[in-house]
């Protein structure tokens, strides 16, 4: 079954969001005229990105080597986190801040080169930064960023944190779980108060 060429899809995601739907619909109509209904259906499924996602897509399309560096850094951070290597984590965290800052500056330059981009003061750079940080934390977001087909910005709370395990003190006696409160007298007072 034919599918749209990656170049065509990339070309669509290069278009500013306010013109995306018209360009996609024109591509759908062209595929239908060419007698390719399967490609037309695939193109019709493409969704318009938010402005922040579009900016990240521009980065992936125009500067894929920078996005590849971001993905490599993400892998290194995950490895250091898994191995609990404190000094390496601190070094990589500083590198992360520098890389994300440089990528946001690059996004600003790419947007300035786009004739239909929002004015510099209205660019959602905080969302772009949050998305790049999420890509460092989440392999699925990183893959979406690398593909240049992000639809909306992403965020990740608490970079590198692993959910805390549920810890319980195990003493070896059966009595420990039986003590719900420190004031057992308070439990006896409740039944006496109920009949009144």
């Amino acid at each position: 079954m034919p599918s749209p060429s990656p170049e065509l899809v990339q070309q669509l995601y290069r278009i500013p969001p306010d013109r995306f739907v018209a360009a996609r619909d024109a591509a759908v109509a062209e595929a239908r005229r060419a007698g390719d209904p399967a490609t037309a259906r695939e193109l019709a499924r493409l969704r318009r990105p938010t402005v922040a996602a579009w900016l990240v897509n521009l980065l992936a399309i125009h500067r894929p080597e920078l996005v590849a560096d971001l993905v490599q850094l993400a892998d290194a951070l995950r490895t250091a986190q898994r191995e609990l290597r404190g000094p390496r984590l601190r070094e990589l965290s500083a590198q992360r801040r520098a890389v994300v800052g440089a990528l946001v500056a690059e996004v600003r330059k790419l947007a300035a080169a786009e004739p239909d981009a929002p004015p510099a003061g209205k660019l959602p750079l905080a969302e772009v930064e949050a998305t790049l940080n999420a890509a460092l934390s989440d392999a699925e977001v990183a893959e979406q960023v690398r593909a240049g087909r992000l639809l909306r910005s992403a965020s990740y709370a608490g970079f590198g944190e692993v959910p805390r395990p549920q810890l319980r003190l195990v003493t070896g006696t059966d009595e420990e779980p039986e003590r719900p409160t420190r004031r057992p007298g308070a439990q006896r007072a409740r039944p006496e108060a109920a009949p009144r």
Side-chain angles (χ1 to χ4, degrees):
M1 181 162 95
S3 63
S5 72
E7 294 79 18
L8 175 58
V9 173
Q10 193 175 77
Q11 183 181 348
L12 287 171
Y13 278 106
R14 193 178 280 161
I15 294 170
D18 59 349
R19 292 191 357 231
F20 177 85
V21 173
R24 179 201 61 200
D25 291 350
V28 169
E30 180 60 35
R32 285 188 182 131
R33 275 193 300 276
D36 190 352
T39 295
R41 276 193 302 276
E42 289 295 313
L43 287 169
R45 287 189 186 126
L46 298 178
R47 296 289 160 244
R48 178 173 67 101
T50 64
V51 173
W54 170 67
L55 291 169
V56 175
N57 291 340
L58 282 182
L59 185 65
I61 291 165
H62 291 292
R63 300 301 305 271
E65 73 284 0
L66 296 180
V67 173
D69 291 345
L70 181 79
V71 172
Q72 280 183 335
L73 177 59
D75 292 341
L77 278 162
R78 277 192 291 274
T79 300
Q81 176 71 24
R82 244 188 334 270
E83 296 172 0
L84 300 175
R85 294 169 57 199
R88 179 73 175 141
L89 269 174
R90 283 189 292 278
E91 175 191 325
L92 289 170
S93 292
Q95 189 179 343
R96 173 182 63 91
R97 285 187 293 278
V99 166
V100 169
L103 290 176
V104 170
E106 187 63 29
V107 163
R108 191 179 286 123
K109 282 187 218 168
L110 290 170
E114 289 291 324
D116 297 322
K122 296 196 176 193
L123 293 174
L125 296 176
E127 289 178 52
V128 169
E129 183 176 352
T131 301
L132 296 172
N133 277 314
L136 283 165
S137 311
D138 185 323
E140 187 176 322
V141 174
E143 190 48 46
Q144 289 176 1
V145 167
R146 189 196 317 230
R149 295 184 188 180
L150 199 64
L151 294 179
R152 63 191 50 85
S153 58
S155 63
Y156 182 82
F159 175 79
E161 284 188 295
V162 177
R164 291 183 182 182
Q166 298 288 329
L167 298 178
R168 230 176 42 207
L169 179 63
V170 178
T171 61
T173 67
D174 291 336
E175 295 170 17
E176 196 64 25
E178 303 278 327
R179 297 188 306 167
T181 63
R182 293 181 185 199
R183 294 178 295 138
Q187 288 179 345
R188 280 184 236 123
R190 282 186 200 135
E192 293 168 12
R196 288 184 203 160

